Amino acid sequence: MTGRTGRHFLHIPGPSPVPERVLRAMDRQIIDHRGPEFARLGREVLEGIRGVFRTQGPVIIYPGSGTGAWEAAIVNTLSPGDRVLMFETGHFATLWRQMAARFGIEVEFVPGDWRRGVDPAAVEARLSEDRARSIKAVMVVHNETSTGVTSRIAAIRRAIDAAGHPALFLVDTISSLASVDVRHDEWGIDVTVSGSQKGLMLPPGLGFTAISEKARAAARHNTMPRSYWDWEEMLKANASGTFPYTPATNLLWGLREAIAMLREEGLDAVFARHARLAAATRAAVEAWGLEVLCQNPDEHSPVLTAVMMPEGRGADAFRAVALERFDLSLGAGLSKLSDKIFRIGHLGETNDLTLMGALSGVEMALAASRVPHRPGGVLAAMASLGAGLDG
């Protein structure tokens, strides 16, 4: 398609669209990252981000990505030869497992069908069997971006406690933070990993680890080599609002503005908005006669909805039509779901009207692609949104 006019509809599950306020906040000249103005900025964002993670403890911010934060979680808490318990909930859980194995971690990887999250009962049963307490950590992806399945982190914490097991609890919230309720302290998470480009509404480029005292103690005694990702080096500098290495200065100005936006709306209102938009999207999918990949209603993601294509129809050809005809970007299926699903992102700076635009594009693309479906998904989504409005 050439000569496009109007806005591009970016509805992949991240990176999410960056709000104008955040873009303007980053649109400034570089300042001295060793000077007093930056130290004030550093202290402000380091304090503000704790509220998003809902923790009283430190949150370490790296120039990097969620993948870097994955690595920081591993190298600071585990030693080569340690055993960990992980779960096959999707593409990103599989990648985190592969990273752990590269560091010499022995991974017990519980198989899954990519349509359900982690079963808390299975966590309790496996940890109860581990009488030698050889499992050093339980590692879980909260919101599996490849599948649209959200695991129940609070219930998993209760399962660990019920087993009386001392394992560390490491949780990936890369696509859930600031879109789904995450409670680092209350849920007893030891390391909460995240990134900037999803619910925080920033460009890619920042990785986060919120850490408990238990995790920090483990970092003092583990034997994994590390340098750039060492928490203690970061914490020393962070005490004065600075960083030991060159920080992503302008992204931090954007982070300050994003935190302000989240505070203005209120985190609970942000989570309710995401849940409402997700319900409207599922209503559209059901009306089209298509199937949502996630099978457990308690695990439906507020961040994205993964939609299964009818038998014999390729998702990639459909997505190409959506892009070329309607300037709508939808998420692809990853690894074993390649060409089998498409993913509708409804996270970050998304409201009723932007979602309706995206769903209209999906319905028009289904028709243009001659994908078997029933019309009326957009109307079903409108009805769902209307039911949640106050007037």
Side-chain angles (χ1 to χ4, degrees):
M1 180 178 176
T2 59
R4 288 175 172 158
T5 60
R7 59 158 287 184
H8 172 63
F9 276 73
L10 180 67
H11 282 269
I12 61 176
S16 64
V18 179
E20 287 294 324
R21 281 179 57 177
V22 173
L23 289 172
R24 298 291 75 80
M26 295 188 296
D27 184 15
R28 61 174 69 209
Q29 190 54 263
I30 298 293
I31 63 172
D32 176 11
H33 61 283
R34 305 295 182 200
E37 183 182 5
F38 180 83
R40 288 191 292 271
L41 170 65
R43 286 192 293 268
E44 186 174 351
V45 296
L46 287 165
E47 175 61 30
I49 195 63
R50 290 163 62 189
V52 182
F53 280 87
R54 293 187 163 174
T55 180
Q56 297 299 311
V59 178
I60 298 170
I61 306 174
Y62 287 101
S65 65
T67 304
W70 272 355
E71 183 164 324
I74 291 169
V75 300
N76 279 284
T77 62
L78 300 170
S79 299
D82 280 351
R83 297 183 62 219
V84 300
L85 182 63
M86 301 182 75
F87 299 83
E88 186 193 6
T89 52
H91 177 72
F92 292 99
T94 303
L95 291 181
W96 205 10
R97 170 213 187 177
Q98 291 171 358
M99 177 185 282
R102 291 190 186 108
F103 282 103
I105 304 300
E106 182 182 336
V107 181
E108 182 175 334
F109 199 52
V110 178
D113 62 4
W114 291 37
R115 302 193 69 177
R116 290 180 175 272
V118 176
D119 179 1
V123 175
E124 181 179 349
R126 180 63 193 92
L127 293 181
S128 296
E129 293 169 358
D130 181 33
R131 293 184 174 84
R133 300 302 190 244
S134 62
I135 294 172
K136 301 301 182 184
V138 177
M139 301 170 65
V140 173
V141 174
H142 183 202
N143 185 80
E144 179 55 71
T145 323
S146 65
T147 64
V149 176
T150 302
S151 289
R152 293 161 285 165
I153 299 302
I156 296 168
R157 174 73 261 177
R158 290 193 293 271
I160 297 170
D161 292 343
H165 202 287
L168 292 164
F169 192 21
L170 279 54
V171 180
D172 166 351
T173 68
I174 291 169
S175 63
S176 57
L177 186 77
S179 299
V180 186
D181 199 3
V182 172
R183 298 173 178 263
H184 177 85
D185 287 356
E186 183 179 326
W187 293 348
I189 304 173
D190 292 300
V191 186
T192 302
V193 172
S194 201
S196 58
Q197 74 276 18
K198 308 273 188 174
L200 286 173
M201 305 175 289
L202 290 163
L206 296 178
F208 304 85
T209 55
I211 61 174
S212 71
E213 278 303 315
K214 182 178 176 181
R216 193 171 177 184
R220 295 188 186 104
H221 300 291
N222 78 322
T223 61
M224 189 75 75
R226 56 192 180 273
S227 176
Y228 179 77
W229 301 114
D230 192 303
W231 285 338
E232 289 303 320
E233 291 302 308
M234 290 290 278
L235 289 169
K236 287 176 192 174
N238 286 173
S240 61
T242 60
F243 292 76
Y245 322 113
T246 305
T249 310
N250 285 38
L251 282 173
L252 295 178
W253 287 116
L255 177 59
R256 185 179 77 159
E257 192 67 23
I259 292 169
M261 293 177 67
L262 292 168
R263 283 174 170 168
E264 288 166 17
E265 185 175 357
L267 281 178
D268 290 338
V270 170
F271 304 148
R273 171 169 55 84
H274 280 75
R276 192 165 56 83
L277 297 178
T281 303
R282 294 193 300 272
V285 174
E286 181 180 358
W288 290 324
L290 302 178
E291 187 176 356
V292 173
L293 181 69
C294 178
Q295 289 185 316
N296 184 351
D298 292 334
E299 296 173 337
H300 282 147
S301 171
V303 173
L304 75 142
T305 300
V307 184
M308 300 176 68
M309 290 296 287
E311 190 68 31
R313 303 305 297 261
D316 291 344
F318 160 72
R319 290 175 50 253
V321 170
L323 179 60
E324 292 301 315
R325 291 282 298 275
F326 306 110
D327 205 10
L328 168 65
S329 289
L330 299 168
L334 301 175
S335 56
K336 68 170 64 176
L337 295 174
S338 177
D339 205 31
K340 296 179 181 179
I341 67 166
F342 63 93
R343 296 174 296 150
I344 305 171
H346 32 73
L347 71 158
E349 194 190 36
T350 303
N351 60 21
D352 294 17
L353 201 54
T354 53
L355 179 68
M356 292 310 304
L359 295 178
S360 296
V362 172
E363 188 157 338
M364 289 189 291
L366 288 170
S369 305
R370 294 184 170 83
V371 173
H373 72 288
R374 296 190 301 264
V378 172
L379 291 174
M382 289 173 62
S384 175
L385 291 173
L389 298 176
D390 294 327

